[in-house]
Amino acid sequence: MVYRELSLFDEPENEEKAKLMKEVEAIDLKPLFERLAKSKFRSSFYLNAKDKEYIRQHGWTKIEQGVGETIARRLAPADIPNDGRQTPMRHGVFPPFIAQHATGCCCRGCLAKWYGIPKGRQLTVKEQILLTRVVMTWLHRQCDNDF
C-alpha cells in the first residue's frame, strides 16, 4: 500500500516515516477483523455497486489518499466538535465512510472501544497510518472479487 502525506502533523523524516510504515505493515490485522466480524453492527456494513464503481473510477491510490486525509482531518485532532457525527453512514457519498463504520474508525468513541486510543489527545502519525491501513484493507476485501 502507498501511504500519502498526512497533513495534521509535521511530517517525520522519510527514514522515520518508512520505519513507522514498516511497523504498521507488520501488525497482524486478523484478530481485529475477527472481532469486528462478531459485532452485529460492524458486520452489517457492505459496499454496494455504486460504492464499488466510485472506487473503480477514482482508483486505489486516490482512495487511499482520501482516507489518510479524512483520518487526519476528522479523527486525529484531540478535540472534535462534532465527534460521533462526523462520518456519514449512507452509501453513495464516499465509500471509505462506510469502511470507517465497519472497522470502528468513525469517531473517537469507537477508536477508544476498538483500538484503545483515548479521546482527548491527537492521534500519532503511526496511529493514522494504522487506521488508514485498516480502512483500506476492509475496502480491498469488499472489492476483491470485483476488480
Side-chain angles (χ1 to χ4, degrees):
M1 289 186 189
V2 177
Y3 294 99
R4 298 288 175 214
E5 299 295 318
L6 302 173
S7 58
L8 184 67
F9 298 99
D10 292 334
E11 282 298 310
E13 297 297 322
N14 287 340
E15 241 178 76
E16 184 184 342
K17 187 172 182 181
K19 180 183 173 200
L20 291 173
M21 289 170 53
K22 261 188 181 179
E23 288 175 16
V24 168
E25 284 296 327
I27 296 170
D28 181 10
L29 297 181
K30 186 178 178 183
L32 170 66
F33 281 100
E34 287 172 352
R35 280 190 3 245
L36 290 166
K38 291 177 185 174
S39 166
K40 186 176 179 180
F41 179 70
R42 301 289 165 203
S43 63
S44 71
F45 290 96
Y46 64 93
L47 294 182
N48 64 22
K50 189 174 181 179
D51 297 325
K52 291 177 183 180
E53 183 57 29
Y54 181 98
I55 292 170
R56 189 181 346 271
Q57 286 178 356
H58 290 85
W60 288 112
T61 302
K62 186 82 169 166
I63 296 296
E64 187 170 19
Q65 180 181 0
V67 169
E69 290 170 359
T70 298
I71 288 169
R73 217 176 36 254
R74 294 178 179 233
L75 288 176
D79 181 41
I80 303 168
N82 63 337
D83 193 30
R85 296 179 312 280
Q86 74 265 41
T87 308
M89 227 188 249
R90 64 188 187 278
H91 292 279
V93 179
F94 182 55
F97 289 157
I98 301 296
Q100 284 182 256
H101 288 291
T103 58
C105 298
C106 46
C107 68
R108 294 305 296 263
C110 291
L111 289 182
K113 177 180 178 178
W114 288 96
Y115 300 91
I117 299 172
K119 291 182 175 188
R121 72 155 173 82
Q122 287 185 322
L123 297 181
T124 65
V125 172
K126 183 177 178 179
E127 289 166 339
Q128 291 180 60
I129 293 170
L130 172 63
L131 298 176
T132 300
R133 178 178 173 222
V134 168
V135 169
M136 291 302 298
T137 299
W138 187 90
L139 290 168
H140 278 284
R141 288 179 173 191
Q142 287 286 302
C143 295
D144 260 355
N145 298 330
D146 298 314
F147 48 99

